[in-house]
Amino acid sequence: MPLDVAVQMDHVSSITIKGDSTFALCLEAQRRGHRLFHYTPDRLSLRDGRATARAEVMELREEQGKHFTLGEQAKIDLAAMDVVLLRQDPPFDMAYITSTHILDRIHPKTLVVNDPTSVRNAPEKIFVTEFADLMPETLITKDPVEVAAFRAEFGEIVLKPLYGNGGAGVFHLTEGDRNLTSFLETFGILFREPFIVQRYLKDVRKGDKRIILVDGEVAGAINRVPAETDARSNMHVGGRAEATELTPREREICERIGPELRKRGLLFVGIDVIGDYMTEINVTSPTGIREVKRFGGADIAQLLWDKIEEKVEA
């Protein structure tokens, strides 16, 4: 059955299709005969309890720079859609949170992927703390005394913004690094929120594994190896993707978190694992599905749309 699918995303003109998961999801929806409506978060509105967006019908093709065609802009009632894909990139700020409140008005009658309430209540670097035994030692604070004590305990630490994304603002500080105070002063100016501090995991040099789960079940994984000159493994800052298999510990992690993801309506999730430890649970706009397929893994876009169609038809 063809579905009407609204996609709340960064403008389609801004994406690089080779590695973009939103593009892959939309391309698969189009292949199945679903009709796509494109809009950016700033065109989302709520009036008298009715959620609307000024959207365009979107058609896609595998040709960077000529990868989309948009129709005339028109107001759509999101409650009349079958599915809304919530896919804009963070930052996870008040604008992002407000959009989840608006989408709450239509879900679950219109299926929003991922569930907007759960997205709002599960920031990637905080949600993961519900599984403290699966993650490295972690401190969330803005108190420089606590951060200094944490480094004194563990020596090498990673300092990063609590609501950042894509590796931005992530710093590896060694035991003797004299920049800690300066970093904390800078973070205090840039961010009102607390920071996150974690014990540095030396296994990151072997890679930061992205594991993708669909409705709580493992769908695929890639390993992201940082460049020699960088502490971060994110691919857009120079990380290298490679094929990988899951270890018994990684399967244990997925089995532990899977039921909670299903309970929260988090259909499409990407977790980050370094060595034996999970560091983040990404629920806003997980990426990596094109890389998984490129390295011979599952077509996760197909798996996710199978699950979405099953839920819409139920």
Side-chain angles (χ1 to χ4, degrees):
M1 176 183 72
L3 303 176
D4 283 338
V5 179
V7 190
Q8 181 171 308
M9 62 183 292
D10 302 316
H11 199 278
V12 64
S13 63
S14 69
I15 65 176
T16 302
I17 67 174
K18 180 180 178 182
D20 194 90
S21 292
T22 302
F23 184 80
L25 294 174
C26 291
L27 206 61
E28 175 63 18
Q30 180 176 280
R31 188 187 70 79
R32 294 176 180 228
H34 304 324
R35 188 162 63 146
L36 297 169
F37 296 83
H38 163 278
Y39 71 94
T40 51
D42 58 304
R43 292 196 254 128
L44 179 66
S45 300
L46 180 68
R47 178 174 177 180
D48 302 326
R50 180 170 169 252
T52 63
R54 287 187 295 108
E56 306 99 349
V57 171
M58 177 170 66
E59 296 180 2
L60 300 175
R61 63 192 70 86
E62 285 270 20
E63 188 179 354
Q64 182 66 50
K66 299 179 180 179
H67 56 278
F68 69 95
T69 300
L70 298 177
E72 291 296 318
Q73 197 173 106
K75 182 185 288 189
I76 61 171
D77 184 346
L78 292 177
M81 297 287 107
D82 298 297
V83 179
V84 171
L85 296 181
L86 175 56
R87 289 294 304 172
Q88 80 261 28
D89 285 338
F92 189 76
D93 54 13
M94 288 308 299
Y96 207 117
I97 289 171
T98 301
S99 75
T100 67
H101 282 294
I102 294 175
L103 294 177
D104 273 340
R105 303 300 180 98
I106 62 169
H107 181 80
K109 180 179 179 294
T110 294
L111 178 66
V112 181
V113 181
N114 286 318
D115 181 309
T117 299
S118 292
V119 168
R120 186 170 63 249
N121 292 340
E124 3 261 52
K125 297 178 182 69
I126 295 180
F127 181 27
V128 67
T129 63
E130 296 193 18
F131 306 93
D133 60 315
L134 301 179
M135 63 185 301
E137 294 83 353
T138 298
L139 170 68
I140 297 175
T141 188
K142 206 171 185 179
D143 186 341
V145 174
E146 290 295 322
V147 177
F150 189 89
R151 184 173 69 162
E153 182 178 354
F154 295 107
E156 291 187 79
I157 60 172
V158 172
L159 174 68
K160 49 190 173 181
L162 188 58
Y163 297 116
N165 69 296
V170 176
F171 294 95
H172 169 211
L173 299 174
T174 60
E175 187 172 8
D177 196 315
R178 294 186 175 89
N179 292 301
L180 177 60
T181 301
S182 180
F183 276 129
L184 293 177
E185 289 173 354
T186 303
F187 269 44
I189 294 169
L190 294 174
F191 308 110
R192 295 183 62 193
E193 305 83 13
F195 326 129
I196 184 165
V197 192
Q198 289 182 323
R199 175 170 64 85
Y200 177 69
L201 300 173
K202 291 182 172 60
D203 280 340
V204 73
R205 302 313 306 172
K206 302 175 185 176
D208 180 350
K209 196 170 291 189
R210 165 55 57 89
I211 305 172
I212 300 172
L213 298 94
V214 172
D215 202 24
E217 298 290 337
V218 174
I222 53 166
N223 195 34
R224 302 169 299 176
V225 180
E228 190 61 37
T229 57
D230 206 318
R232 303 166 298 172
S233 60
N234 307 74
M235 285 177 286
H236 75 274
V237 296
R240 182 185 79 253
E242 62 181 23
T244 190
E245 298 289 337
L246 296 194
T247 66
R249 169 63 168 174
E250 289 160 352
R251 293 195 178 277
E252 175 194 352
I253 290 171
C254 294
E255 288 168 4
R256 282 277 305 282
I257 70 172
E260 186 65 25
L261 301 180
R262 281 192 295 275
K263 185 174 80 173
R264 292 175 180 240
L266 296 169
L267 292 183
F268 183 31
V269 171
I271 67 170
D272 296 336
V273 179
I274 299 172
D276 289 335
Y277 298 98
M278 177 171 59
T279 59
E280 293 187 17
I281 302 176
N282 298 278
V283 304
T284 48
S285 57
T287 60
I289 67 177
R290 303 214 94 180
E291 290 78 11
V292 169
K293 185 178 179 182
R294 191 175 303 129
F295 283 99
D299 188 331
I300 296 173
Q302 286 188 6
L303 296 176
L304 182 59
W305 274 106
D306 287 346
K307 184 59 64 173
I308 290 172
E309 290 172 353
E310 174 187 316
K311 289 186 175 295
V312 170
E313 294 167 6

